[in-house]
Amino acid sequence: MCGIVGAVAERNVVEILLEGLKRLEYRGYDSAGVALLDKEGNLSRIRKTGKVKNLAEAVESESALGTTGIAHTRWATHGGVTKYNAHPHFSSSRVAVVHNGIIENYVPLRKELTAKGYTFSSDTDTETIGHVVHEMLKKGTSLLEAVQNAVKHFTGAYGTVVIDKESPDKMVVARSGSPLVIGLGLGENFIASDQLALLPVTRRFIFLEEGDVAEVARRKVTIFDKDGEQVEREIIESTVEHDAGDKAGYRHYMLKEIYEQPAVIRNTLQDRIDNIHNADALFGEGASSILKQVKHVQIIACGTSYHAGMTARYWLEEFANVSCSVEIASEFRYRKSAVHENSLLVTISQSGETADTLAALRLAKELGYMSALTVCNVPGSSLVRESDLAFMTLAGAEIGVASTKAFTTQLTAFLMLTLALGKFNGLAEKNEQKIIDAIKTLPSKIEEALSTAEVIEDLAEEFADKHHSLFLGRGAQYPIAMEGALKLKEISYIHAEAYASGELKHGPLALIDEEMPVIVVAPNDELLEKLKSNVEEVRARGGIMYVFADIDAHFESDDTMRVINVPHCEDIIAPIVYTIPLQLLSYYVALIKGTDVDQPRNLAKSVTVE
Ligand code: F1P
């Protein structure tokens, strides 16, 4: 969470910082700020609540200038959304700091620092960083040494950048738990919490590792590892394409990303689906010999990615004959779990930086999983770097906070993992071919599913005044119902719950009335008759239903039920196809409600704090 950008240059860095913040706004957008040092060592600061554009207006009207600068877009953890809690934070008018993460011991630190005469002007944990560094500087050390000493006092997670008025041509940065990447320029250098921020100025990056502290000057970058040893880190040439400014004519990034799904699934499949037996090419070197031995798959993820894992479980157990458990990362990491024999840990994440998922991966390494695979959309992200194997979803940058194309490409990845594991666990060639043929129809089936948009836009009106809703599905469509409910919650702020429809009579039926729309996911599969009985249970209690159904499922619209036809497809790909109309539903309801579709309140795209 929170976006960080910093620069040291000969030129004025203000535009670089603002452009970087705009590109990072998906990480948090409740307030933003910038601190600048000019060549004479004058330190200035501008902070604004609200989006980066508010800050940009203020920066322009004040004609701000600086050759060294740090900037931040905030997702509040400690302290409300006010100008005073916005970063950068100062210690006196000497040290400025931006921070991503949580300093967990900030309460005792605050007490100690107050006793030493420091005054606090915010409610944040971050402000302690500036004061501790300042305290170290008073002992006559360099900024680098001051930060190296200061970090010894912090527990929790931080990606932090510090500048000091007395050393105007450098930044010192430290990483522990929150990602930071150094961007290398010619006679100028940069820092950011995500390479996307720096793509307009460089493509050469150094990804800092856990415990690294680095001094970033105009012409020199010096990195020290967690033991204080000077180290060389690899310089990586980025291949990431990203133009955050481009909505390609769509009103929102989310809509653009929904419509990109046929193309990005095609990308994700290309060169892979016809090469499914070459596990090393798909999942990384050594994958074949690892997958051969897998007896159990443990999937760990959060949010939408967790729903991808829940869906994958149905496929892995049914078609690959491998037992599978799925758990939310924040639960897994804090309980004692038993490790199955020959168990493969699979993390799923669009960002590759989700703090809980990363912590779960690190824990799993200690617990003795045979190997760790990540299904991820961001090359070079922490999860990719720290996993043994990686399957890269090729969804391209996803800017809308509510995940759409990242989710369906994750599901596509799991269909391929199912085939790869199936090969070693008795999946018959004939069935394998049937699955491959079905997977290949995905892009065109999704195109057809997108044609439901007009009908859905029309029925979205009926949701605008509702406060609650219920999503129902069975089998592999149960997690899709969960994902549909999550999308509606995230962007329209309508309370939405999902149930496996067999559970209806165990409680949720009590909620049914005409104010509670019930959304049913109804492909024409072997569970259809069971689902139809559940639909009747809702109808008998006066519920209003919206049924997303295969035409051959023979549902008919009437006073209490509106049927939306979804194109017929093979059962195995139905969870992906039925996701599309549910994404569209949440989008059009949000549009009518006038919410901020791409940046819904209180959320962020990359959840780098636990
Ligand atoms: C997990 C997640 C996303 C969601 C939102 C917040 O992220 O819950 O699914 O859309 O952006 O984070 P990740 O682990 O998949 O990056």
Side-chain angles (χ1 to χ4, degrees):
M1 256 80 176
C2 301
I4 290 175
V5 199
V8 263
E10 280 291 339
R11 55 176 163 158
N12 184 11
V13 295
V14 169
E15 280 311 314
I16 298 170
L17 298 179
L18 287 177
E19 177 58 29
L21 286 188
K22 281 183 204 147
R23 287 165 171 263
L24 292 182
E25 213 168 14
Y26 69 91
R27 296 179 75 106
Y29 33 79
D30 57 44
S31 47
V34 56
L36 296 162
L37 271 169
D38 66 17
K39 282 189 177 146
E40 282 73 50
N42 298 308
L43 180 63
S44 61
R45 167 173 66 172
I46 304 174
R47 295 179 292 174
K48 287 278 163 196
T49 54
K51 299 212 171 161
V52 173
K53 82 173 178 358
N54 297 358
L55 176 70
E57 280 161 15
V59 165
E60 195 182 332
S61 75
E62 293 184 31
S63 310
L65 271 176
T67 47
T68 297
I70 53 176
H72 188 267
T73 174
R74 180 170 186 244
W75 185 86
T77 58
H78 293 68
V81 179
T82 62
K83 179 177 164 184
Y84 298 100
N85 286 330
H87 301 212
H89 290 287
F90 278 6
S91 180
S92 309
S93 295
R94 175 170 179 187
V95 173
V97 59
V98 288
H99 164 228
N100 177 13
I102 295 174
I103 301 297
E104 285 169 359
N105 60 334
Y106 81 104
V107 175
L109 279 176
R110 213 175 151 109
K111 265 197 199 139
E112 263 174 54
L113 290 158
T114 308
K116 285 188 173 138
Y118 288 94
T119 45
F120 281 80
S121 53
S122 79
D123 310 314
T124 65
D125 51 330
T126 301
E127 206 179 347
T128 55
I129 300 178
H131 292 324
V132 174
V133 171
H134 195 172
E135 184 64 11
M136 302 297 158
L137 283 169
K138 280 186 189 162
K139 295 178 180 153
T141 64
S142 67
L143 180 61
L144 173 68
E145 287 163 327
V147 173
Q148 282 176 317
N149 292 333
V151 295
K152 294 179 190 147
H153 294 78
F154 306 137
T155 56
Y158 51 84
T160 188
V161 188
V162 188
I163 54 175
D164 172 19
K165 201 178 148 97
E166 308 290 320
S167 325
D169 51 3
K170 65 176 67 127
M171 312 178 275
V172 174
V173 311
R175 176 199 165 145
S176 181
S178 297
L180 280 178
V181 58
I182 296 173
L184 302 170
L186 286 176
E188 54 188 17
N189 287 315
F190 313 95
I191 184 82
S193 46
D194 185 326
Q195 56 175 308
L196 294 181
L198 301 176
L199 290 177
V201 283
T202 185
R203 292 214 151 254
R204 296 172 67 232
F205 293 106
I206 296 173
F207 293 90
L208 289 180
E209 294 189 8
E210 283 299 284
D212 281 356
V213 175
E215 183 181 83
V216 181
R218 251 173 244 152
R219 296 182 185 283
K220 199 169 168 214
V221 170
T222 323
I223 304 172
F224 299 85
D225 68 8
K226 59 179 184 327
D227 303 317
E229 297 295 323
Q230 192 171 334
V231 283
E232 293 294 321
R233 299 260 180 251
E234 192 187 353
I235 299 174
I236 290 167
E237 198 78 31
S238 174
T239 52
V240 172
E241 293 294 332
H242 179 48
D243 186 355
D246 183 16
K247 288 188 194 150
Y250 288 94
R251 188 157 166 194
H252 293 99
Y253 284 111
M254 183 180 177
L255 192 62
K256 171 181 172 242
E257 288 157 4
I258 288 174
Y259 275 88
E260 278 173 349
Q261 289 175 110
V264 297
I265 287 182
R266 214 169 266 131
N267 280 351
T268 301
L269 290 172
Q270 211 171 28
D271 302 330
R272 287 164 162 172
I273 190 70
D274 287 326
N275 207 8
I276 203 74
H277 291 153
N278 188 350
D280 284 24
L282 268 68
F283 304 100
E285 224 178 285
S288 295
S289 62
I290 290 168
L291 295 187
K292 213 177 273 174
Q293 302 169 56
V294 170
K295 294 270 168 287
H296 181 78
V297 173
Q298 171 68 61
I299 298 178
I300 302 290
C302 304
T304 291
S305 297
Y306 170 69
H307 296 153
M310 292 268 292
T311 314
R313 182 166 68 103
Y314 287 88
W315 294 331
L316 289 169
E317 298 212 340
E318 180 173 351
F319 302 105
N321 199 24
V322 173
S323 66
C324 174
S325 7
V326 190
E327 192 162 354
I328 294 164
S330 55
E331 285 299 310
F332 177 83
R333 67 178 287 195
Y334 288 120
R335 75 179 183 91
K336 289 210 161 58
S337 58
V339 185
H340 293 240
E341 198 188 329
N342 285 15
S343 191
L344 174 71
L345 184 95
V346 182
T347 55
I348 317 171
S349 173
Q350 45 87 21
S351 64
E353 300 296 351
T354 302
D356 283 320
T357 313
L358 197 52
L361 167 66
R362 289 174 185 157
L363 171 70
K365 284 185 180 170
E366 288 166 25
L367 292 177
Y369 280 84
M370 66 176 288
S371 189
L373 162 71
T374 189
V375 172
C376 187
N377 197 40
V378 179
S381 58
S382 303
L383 278 172
V384 172
R385 282 181 291 117
E386 295 188 28
S387 298
D388 308 310
L389 303 173
F391 183 98
M392 299 312 302
T393 49
L394 302 176
E398 189 179 68
I399 308 293
V401 164
S403 185
T404 52
K405 61 176 182 169
F407 177 63
T408 48
T409 52
Q410 286 166 352
L411 290 177
T412 307
F414 276 102
L415 284 175
M416 288 191 263
L417 181 64
T418 302
L419 289 169
L421 282 170
K423 181 185 167 217
F424 302 116
N425 293 284
L427 176 64
E429 237 173 76
K430 194 170 98 232
N431 293 341
E432 181 191 85
Q433 195 52 50
K434 261 180 79 182
I435 296 174
I436 292 176
D437 292 344
I439 294 174
K440 284 184 174 175
T441 66
L442 259 175
S444 64
K445 288 294 168 190
I446 291 176
E447 261 153 29
E448 284 180 50
L450 285 166
S451 68
T452 54
E454 217 172 299
V455 180
I456 293 171
E457 185 172 6
D458 177 47
L459 72 81
E461 299 278 349
E462 295 171 33
F463 282 74
D465 63 340
K466 298 288 186 279
H467 298 291
H468 307 279
S469 60
L470 192 60
F471 284 67
L472 300 178
R474 294 193 83 120
Q477 297 289 357
Y478 166 43
I480 300 307
M482 293 169 82
E483 175 58 13
L486 179 62
K487 287 288 90 91
L488 194 68
K489 270 182 258 198
E490 281 179 310
I491 63 166
S492 77
Y493 315 150
I494 293 175
H495 169 224
E497 280 206 64
Y499 266 90
S501 54
E503 272 291 291
L504 256 188
K505 54 178 91 58
H506 298 286
L509 263 187
L511 296 169
I512 302 295
D513 64 19
E514 68 274 14
E515 287 308 309
M516 173 101 161
V518 178
I519 295 97
V520 185
V521 191
N524 186 17
D525 61 17
E526 56 184 10
L527 292 170
L528 181 65
E529 291 313 314
K530 302 275 174 215
L531 188 75
K532 281 190 168 172
S533 309
N534 304 136
V535 163
E536 289 312 317
E537 289 162 9
V538 176
R539 193 201 296 278
R541 282 145 188 99
I544 305 291
M545 283 173 286
Y546 298 86
V547 183
F548 292 85
D550 189 298
I551 193 149
D552 293 331
H554 302 298
F555 282 98
E556 276 181 28
S557 292
D558 58 26
D559 289 353
T560 58
M561 183 157 87
R562 188 141 172 195
V563 180
I564 304 96
N565 282 323
V566 180
H568 176 74
C569 62
E570 292 297 326
D571 287 356
I572 190 162
I573 60 164
I576 307 182
V577 175
Y578 279 72
T579 297
I580 310 300
L582 300 185
Q583 294 171 343
L584 288 166
L585 178 68
S586 65
Y587 176 76
Y588 285 113
V589 174
L591 209 57
I592 291 165
K593 295 198 72 178
T595 59
D596 191 341
V597 171
D598 286 330
Q599 295 180 333
R601 69 185 182 200
N602 307 338
L603 300 180
K605 185 82 185 152
S606 188
V607 186
T608 54
V609 292
E610 69 168 295

